[in-house]
Every structure is written in structure tokens, then in C-alpha cells.
Amino acid sequence: MTEPDALRKLSILAILLAATAFLAGARLPPHGPLPQPRPDTGAATTPTPLPDKAEPPAPDDVPAPQPKPDMKEPAVPAPDQPAAPQTEPGNTEPAKPAPGEPMQGPPLPPGRLEGPLAPAEENKPPAEQTLEEQHLTIEPESDAEHAECTAALRALGVVFKDAPRIDDGNGCGIDKPIIVSDALPGISLKPEATIRCPAALALARWMKESVIPAASAALPEQGRLTTVNQASAYICRLRNSAETGKISEHARGNAIDIASFHFEKGEDVAVRSRREDPTLTGAFQRTVSAAGCLYFTTVLDPESDAAHETHFHLDVIERKGAYRYCH
């Protein structure tokens, strides 16, 4: 063995002896890391499942079933025993709810309706409401005022009779209706009209103080006025027979429509557009139309709109400030 080989072997031996001495003096630490419990070892706090194994949430439209109403109350299980699923007699499957029975489910998210959808609230303006949607009532009439009015009718010679209270629902009706057959002595109202006494009184005064004098001045050759033909008195409807809007004064017994006047001689004077009529017949109609506003609070003639081309609409609606509308 040469001298360099001997020195190499001695160096390696010295290194091994030093490493052995170092390892002999080394010690383990006093406290090592504690092991963590496994998720399935029944620890007090159950860790949150991993997202890829989580159960999907129950949908809102699949509520949990409830027992049928005719089933007996199940026995309450002991505190240390789990409750058994409810079943129908002779069936091992859980009981299903009866048809139509409300079912319970998970809480609905905010903003969702509970149970069946509720109808939308009425937020329509009056002009878009039907008669049923307006929830109107019949106006009561004072006994004393009605007696005073009917006494005035008798003094003028109006032929009428009292009628039972009318209530057709939705605010249509008359508390104290009367049926007028003669507007004045010797002047028939055809057909007879069911209206309130104030409307009948306004009609009688208009006929006596305006219509008869105007006819005598404009149409003397036609003789005496014998009949007033009316087109509408009491009827349950909205204005102009529309499907929505305000209730008509006809539905409250406050209005009457006059279609024509019949005299002893000659032809009937029909109510129609006569704004440009240069005859005395035209003057007669324009005169009685204008005079109507002295007795009625509303006068609509054939010039007002298409719905009144063939008659006068006359009513006694009460407005604020005693306002009247005449056209």
C-alpha cells in the first residue's frame, strides 16, 4: 500500500468517527406534532363537506309531504329514539299529502309570495274601472225632503206613484223612486219614467215655464203639446254605456233623456242637430235646450257629442259650488 492510499483511508475513518460522536449526542425534541382527527372519527364539530360532494339545495317547488288530515297523531318517540317515518296502514312508503292539501317546504326567498299567487291590487284610475270595481252605494234620501218634493209635484199636477226601493247592486238604484206617467196635466210622458223626485220636479218646471211657452211662440199652428217622448230614465250603466268610467246619473235616478215632442197637429218635433236650422222649429229646440240649464245641472244636446245626437240628456247631479254643465 502506498503512502497516499494510507492517508486517504485514515481521513475517511476520522470522518466516520466524528459523525458517530455527533449522532450519539443528538436528542429528540420534548414535544412532537399532535395527529389531527379524521373527519369520520365522530369529532364534536363536523367539518364542512367539500364542494364537489355537497348535496344540492331543495328546490322551492318540491315541499316536504305532510300526513293526511284523517291520520291519527303519531306517538312521540322517546328522547333517545329517532322518530320513525309516517306511513299509511299497510304501506311501507311514507304517507303522501291528500290532493289539494297545502304542503310545507323550505323557506321561500325574499320577495316571493307565500302560497298561491294573490290577485294584483286595484291601482286603476277611476276612468279605467268597471262598475263592479268602483264599490259604489245607493245614496239615501231624507224622508222630509222626499215628502216636500212630492208635495210640489202634486201642486203642479204631475201624475206619479211611489215605487219600492230599487237596488240593482254596484251602486245602481234609487232609495225612494217614483214612476211618472204625466209630466204635467194633459201632457203624457211616454213611456212612463222611473226616476227620483228631484229629477221629476225639474222636468215639470222646465216643461211648464220654458217648453210650453216656447212651443206656443214658435209652433202655434201645431196646437197643444200633448206628449213628451223619453228615451231613457232609470237604468243601471256607466256614462254613455261605456265599460269603464264614472257611473251614469241614469243609474241613480237623476237623469232623463228627451227624444221628441208630440203636438195635437203636425209632425213630432224630434230632437236632432239644429245648430244651423233657420226655421222656427230650430229656434224652438235651441230655446228649450238653453233654458234647460235653469232647471237641470247638466244639459247635453245633439251638438255636445255623438252619444247625444238624437236626444237631450237632462240630470240633477249635485256638484261642488253649484256648478252646472250645459252644452
Side-chain angles (χ1 to χ4, degrees):
M1 177 183 300
T2 62
E3 183 177 352
D5 291 336
L7 290 175
R8 188 181 303 111
K9 289 182 178 180
L10 289 175
S11 298
I12 293 173
L13 182 60
I15 292 172
L16 292 174
L17 291 174
T20 303
F22 175 79
L23 292 174
R27 291 183 302 171
L28 292 174
H31 300 287
L34 297 177
Q36 296 295 324
R38 292 176 58 184
D40 55 353
T41 57
T45 304
T46 303
T48 304
L50 295 177
D52 59 341
K53 294 183 180 180
E55 291 293 331
D60 294 337
D61 56 350
V62 185
Q66 295 293 307
K68 289 186 176 181
D70 56 352
M71 292 185 65
K72 296 182 180 179
E73 287 290 331
V76 179
D80 57 347
Q81 295 181 356
Q86 298 175 3
T87 59
E88 297 181 8
N91 189 2
T92 58
E93 294 294 327
K96 296 182 179 179
E101 180 184 352
M103 304 176 72
Q104 303 296 325
L108 295 174
R112 246 188 90 191
L113 292 174
E114 295 284 348
L117 294 177
E121 294 182 0
E122 292 293 342
N123 293 321
K124 298 178 183 177
E128 297 180 7
Q129 293 181 357
T130 65
L131 186 59
E132 292 77 10
E133 292 171 339
Q134 297 182 42
H135 307 293
L136 302 174
T137 58
I138 299 173
E139 294 292 335
E141 298 186 59
S142 163
D143 291 339
E145 291 179 358
H146 183 70
E148 182 180 355
C149 181
T150 54
L153 287 181
R154 293 186 181 95
L156 288 169
V158 178
V159 178
F160 68 96
K161 60 183 177 181
D162 292 317
R165 185 177 189 270
I166 299 172
D167 186 352
D168 290 332
N170 301 313
C172 291
I174 307 175
D175 188 28
K176 293 178 171 56
I178 62 171
I179 301 174
V180 179
S181 53
D182 285 7
L184 283 174
I187 302 178
S188 300
L189 184 61
K190 291 185 178 180
E192 59 185 16
T194 300
I195 51 178
R196 288 182 62 233
C197 183
L201 185 58
L203 176 66
R205 288 173 174 170
W206 174 62
M207 293 287 301
K208 180 178 181 180
E209 298 171 12
S210 295
V211 176
I212 292 175
S216 298
L219 308 169
E221 70 282 358
Q222 293 198 203
R224 186 176 63 87
L225 177 63
T226 60
T227 305
V228 177
N229 298 303
Q230 60 99 359
S232 178
Y234 169 76
I235 183 173
C236 182
R237 62 173 175 83
L238 296 179
R239 292 181 181 180
N240 298 331
S241 299
E243 294 184 359
T244 60
K246 292 185 178 181
I247 191 171
S248 170
E249 290 307 302
H250 286 282
R252 297 185 179 277
N254 287 330
I256 189 167
D257 292 346
I258 303 301
S260 65
F261 301 91
H262 179 73
F263 296 85
E264 288 178 316
K265 307 172 185 177
E267 297 180 355
D268 289 359
V269 176
V271 177
R272 57 181 177 83
S273 178
R274 296 183 186 273
R275 178 182 293 173
E276 306 299 332
D277 187 345
T279 67
L280 285 172
T281 300
F284 164 75
Q285 179 177 304
R286 293 192 296 272
T287 298
V288 298
S289 175
C293 212
L294 300 174
Y295 308 93
F296 297 92
T297 56
T298 305
V299 177
L300 300 176
D301 65 14
E303 316 301 338
S304 61
D305 57 31
H308 301 89
E309 289 180 338
T310 59
H311 62 272
F312 295 139
H313 168 89
L314 312 169
D315 73 49
V316 292
I317 184 176
E318 294 183 7
R319 299 186 180 93
K320 293 181 180 179
Y323 174 76
R324 297 184 178 219
Y325 182 84
C326 304
H327 192 292

